[in-house]
Amino acid sequence: MAIGLHDSDFKNPVVRWIDQRMPVFTLMQKEYGSFPTPRNFNYFWNFGALAMVNLMIMIATGVFLAMHYTPHTAYAFDSVDRIMRDVNFGWLIRYVHMNGAHMFFIVVFIHIWRGMYYGSYKAPRELLWILGVIIFLLMMATAFMGYVLPWGQMSFWGATVITNLFSAFPIVGDWIVSLLWGGFSVDNPTLNRFFALHYLLPFLIVGVVFLHVVALHITGSNNPLGVEPKGPKDTLPFHPYYTAKDSFGLVIYFIVFAALVFFAPNILGHAENNIPADPLVTPPHIVPEWYFLAFYAILRAVPDKLGGVLLMFGAIAVLFVLPWLDRSPVRSMRFRPMARIAFLLWTVSFFVLTYCGAMPADEPYVTISRFATAYYFAYFLVILPLLGRLEKPLPLPESISRAVLGGGGGPLPAGAAAKPMEKA
Amino acid sequence: MVRNTLKALAVIGGLLAASALPAAAAGPYVPIPDTRFSFDGIFGAFDRASAQRGFQVYKETCAACHGMRLLSYRHLRELGFTEQQVAAIASQFQVVDGPNDEGQMFERPARASDRFRSPFPNRQAARAANNGAYPVDLSIITKARAGGADYIYALLTGYQDPPPGVEMMEGMHYNRYFPGHMIAMARPLMPDQVTFADGTPATVENMARDVTTFLAWAAEPELEQRRAMGVKVILFLTVLAGLVYAVKRRIWADVH
């Protein structure tokens, strides 16, 4: 081997020539080929790959939409309708993009839920988790600005309500709002900058996703048992085992996606947004998209504007410090009988908040939202820190292979026997 | 199996949607009856004869106040009108074009490529001519109202005398299905208001059904192509899912 060249294992002369000078093939082989992956993933571990595919779909369809879209208050609504009516397969591209946003949030919500249930945020994966929360925040900003672009009634009034939230901050509030608007109300400059940012942010997401994957490939994946792999018996090469398993999950995801796009493309949207934006007519109910409803309910649960805004942002900010709030050394909720119930109740509170967010800000929904909000925060700030000290976890399996393969010699630890791993 | 899958998906979709449904508008809520249309269901298609009659109803009745500015006359080809028929329909309307070489705007008969002519030059003129109420554009009206085509049909057939004790405001009309029940639009359809060339009796129900079919087509002209493609895509993916699952089982066989 010549000095300065990478020592490549590839036989194909062309691949070898490239790999010696730029070892991308070695890198792919290491990170996605032979990468040692815990052997006991269940189907919840598909959702990271699904989110990655979803991001690519959003960028691909978004680029084509941008070729036909006009970011001007006088033309935006009509240009979107022209995409639906006259652009070849424009309806398909737009409905994939629109429902792709819904699918993205479904996938990412499940992905985050998975991380919380199996304790994937705990050491040594804290930074991996934090990068994930940053991606989630960027996604929310991107989705919000994307929803403004068709310039329908809900686009305009949603933008007005949400941007106005920033005015609650003392001193800098009004300045931030003018900056977002590019003027003194939601108008053409707002639409222009939202379009520019809606195009920019997905590429920032790609960047943070890259870091998310880098961090993942240092620590390796968590798994349903939350026990670190102790040797080659506990792992499988990523390819072909998990490429095959992810492929199956991907096809199922495509079926759900296709059912939405082809048979119910508007079911998750608001009819109101098919009315062109009119600054003089307020819709009867201004409701955000379903994926923001839980946070919207938290906002409305607080009688004080600034308090509501802080709590709404706090609902996400608290995720950043989750690794340090949960001090239990046990990752997976399978072995945490009390935390498991507390977390499932937290999940219920999230659904309750989502439901209340869709309802008018009247009784009984406000009171229900307050209880659900209280529990949402209590789980993070009170229950988890306390359980870290008080809870007695079930005994952990000795290793992944012991738990998965069962009679691999020697008596099984009680915990593993009580909770046999399903063969996925 | 596909059907069951679709049903299951529809249920999941329904559950998701239920959490996102906006609450009913103020006033006693009257549920919108489910009307059966030719384009209902996965394999439904627009009844072309009905949609053509619906276009006639629109042209002779609704178009007096309501525009459909997002449609072009050429789009009517998709309803089964021939190129000559579309040209003839378009030429009945005068549109403003220009400026010409002298710098003047001028009127000319519309061509197939022109957008539907709107009845009023601008929103203010529309309001001025309608007691201050704005007759909305109907291009995508079935997508723009909760309840879609069912709601439009219900609205068109929902005019009645106000129940005793209900005080109507000046110039308003009672409609069973309009949110709040007071609508500025006077009852638009009267029996035998139009004469259908194919002999279909022009009852209010027939006209309402026809014009709703036309409006549903106008709002979602891609609907038939979309569903046809969807059936193929889902069938393909279902078979693919089976194959991929078999491959996955095979690969994992030696691990368990």
Side-chain angles (χ1 to χ4, degrees), chain A residues 39 78 81 85-86 89 91 241-242 248 251 255 259 262-263 265 271 274-275 278 293 358 360 423-424, chain B residues 9 19 69-71 74-75 123 140 143-145 218 222 225-226 229-230 237 244 248 251-252 254-256:
Chain A
R39 62 188 302 151
D78 291 10
D81 188 80
R85 231 175 257 285
D86 288 334
F89 293 103
W91 60 267
Y241 294 99
Y242 285 110
F248 178 64
V251 178
I255 291 176
F262 292 107
F263 298 109
N274 286 300
I275 302 170
D278 185 347
L293 288 174
K423 300 223 165 117
Chain B
L9 291 174
S19 66
R69 64 191 174 83
L70 299 174
L71 271 80
R74 67 185 158 82
H75 288 132
R123 186 173 280 236
I140 53 171
K143 280 200 293 189
R145 292 290 180 276
E222 87 294 344
Q225 191 195 2
R226 168 157 62 76
M229 192 187 282
L237 286 172
V244 173
K248 188 250 158 197
I251 288 172
W252 280 75
D254 61 336
V255 175
H256 293 305

Side-chain angles (χ1 to χ4, degrees), chain A residues 178-199:
Chain A
S178 314
L179 194 69
L180 287 171
W181 286 347
F184 302 101
S185 66
V186 174
D187 207 334
N188 200 47
T190 325
L191 181 60
N192 270 281
R193 62 192 55 194
F194 277 21
F195 179 57
L197 292 172
H198 183 71
Y199 206 111

Side-chain angles (χ1 to χ4, degrees), chain A residues 8-19:
Chain A
S8 177
D9 294 331
F10 287 88
K11 297 282 178 284
N12 180 308
V14 178
V15 171
R16 186 182 172 81
W17 187 89
I18 296 172
D19 201 50

Side-chain angles (χ1 to χ4, degrees), chain A residues 16-51:
Chain A
R16 186 182 172 81
W17 187 89
I18 296 172
D19 201 50
Q20 285 174 328
R21 284 152 184 83
M22 182 178 66
V24 284
F25 293 96
T26 302
L27 177 111
M28 286 305 286
Q29 176 59 27
K30 179 165 171 280
E31 303 299 341
Y32 288 100
S34 58
F35 190 71
T37 313
R39 62 188 302 151
N40 60 331
F41 282 179
N42 56 27
Y43 276 102
F44 277 118
W45 264 261
N46 277 355
F47 285 86
L50 297 185

Side-chain angles (χ1 to χ4, degrees), chain A residues 138-158:
Chain A
L138 288 171
M139 261 180 75
M140 292 173 86
T142 310
F144 163 65
M145 286 189 274
Y147 193 65
V148 176
L149 302 186
W151 209 244
Q153 271 290 66
M154 214 55 105
S155 299
F156 178 87
W157 289 98

